[in-house]
Amino acid sequence: DIRAYREYQAFLSSPELKAKMIANNARLAFFLHPYFKDYVDLFDIDESFTDKHGYLDVDMGEEIMKSSMMISDYSSVVWDMFYLEKPVMFYQFDQADYLKSEGAYLDYEKDLFGDVVFNASDAIDTIISYADNDFQEKPAYASMRDKYMNFHDHNNAARIYKAILKKKKLLQIENDWTFSRKVARKLWKVKKAARNKFRK
């Protein structure tokens, strides 16, 4: 897609973005969707402030944990950043075409929890603004967390454990039933074999 290439290349080669990243001792990590992984080397990358990664070159979970902000188009990985209270920017230069062909489970006009930009220039300005504010999440987006997340703490493992305990009796019943079926089927096979032997 020529349009996508031009947008991303204009973004990656921005002198203003480079200056801001270097001044803030920050770096960009550039990933392409796995579907386009074979094209990542077509982009002219300035390695003084940008790291280029192919598909599965790095652990995405680790990248999310150490990153201050995420720029994406339509990827669901932005939910992880949102959960971690880190800012997200939706770079959707092809939004109209995407919604027409793919659709969406969110209303892009009111449900997105980050800045939405439609060209490289606005994307760069937005990142510079976040850099000037130490990459702090905007209150308007932070307030949306309660809308999407029932829990936002460090107790997920405990909740899962408690849920398992509640289901323990049911699970035991199912295990007993499964065992009984196996025994019954084994007995049926033995009886069948005995009948066949007797007939012979």
Side-chain angles (χ1 to χ4, degrees), residues 57-75:
D57 281 352
V58 296
D59 186 302
M60 183 58 71
E62 292 182 2
E63 289 295 312
I64 289 173
M65 291 299 294
K66 71 181 183 181
S67 296
S68 299
M69 179 180 183
M70 178 174 285
I71 302 107
S72 185
D73 47 10
Y74 313 99
S75 174

Side-chain angles (χ1 to χ4, degrees), residues 10-148:
F11 173 78
L12 293 166
S13 60
S14 165
E16 294 82 10
L17 183 60
K18 175 180 178 177
K20 179 57 67 173
M21 292 295 99
I22 293 176
N24 283 268
N25 193 31
R27 298 186 64 80
L28 290 176
F30 180 61
F31 297 84
L32 283 179
H33 188 280
Y35 184 79
F36 301 105
K37 61 184 176 63
D38 295 334
Y39 304 105
V40 67
D41 291 325
L42 295 177
F43 291 90
D44 183 16
I45 303 294
D46 187 336
E47 296 181 355
S48 67
F49 76 104
T50 302
D51 299 313
K52 177 181 62 177
H53 299 295
Y55 180 52
L56 297 181
D57 281 352
V58 296
D59 186 302
M60 183 58 71
E62 292 182 2
E63 289 295 312
I64 289 173
M65 291 299 294
K66 71 181 183 181
S67 296
S68 299
M69 179 180 183
M70 178 174 285
I71 302 107
S72 185
D73 47 10
Y74 313 99
S75 174
S76 60
V77 75
V78 294
W79 289 100
D80 294 318
M81 290 294 283
F82 186 48
Y83 183 85
L84 294 172
E85 302 180 11
K86 297 180 179 183
V88 170
M89 182 181 76
F90 296 89
Y91 186 5
Q92 301 179 341
F93 56 85
D94 59 345
Q95 187 191 91
D97 293 337
Y98 179 87
L99 292 177
K100 184 177 180 180
S101 63
E102 304 295 332
Y105 58 90
L106 294 174
D107 184 332
Y108 278 14
E109 291 187 5
K110 61 181 182 179
D111 291 338
L112 295 181
F113 42 86
D115 296 83
V116 183
V117 299
F118 300 103
N119 56 66
S121 178
D122 288 344
I124 293 163
D125 289 343
T126 300
I127 294 172
I128 289 174
S129 176
Y130 273 104
D132 288 340
N133 288 281
D134 198 28
F135 294 102
Q136 293 297 307
E137 184 183 38
K138 294 179 180 179
Y141 301 129
S143 66
M144 299 175 71
R145 216 167 339 266
D146 289 341
K147 173 182 177 181
Y148 293 117

Side-chain angles (χ1 to χ4, degrees), residues 159-175:
R159 278 189 287 271
I160 292 171
Y161 177 71
K162 289 179 180 178
I164 291 173
L165 290 181
K166 288 182 179 179
K167 297 293 184 180
K168 187 175 181 180
K169 183 178 292 186
L170 175 60
L171 292 174
Q172 187 58 47
I173 291 173
E174 290 178 349
N175 288 337

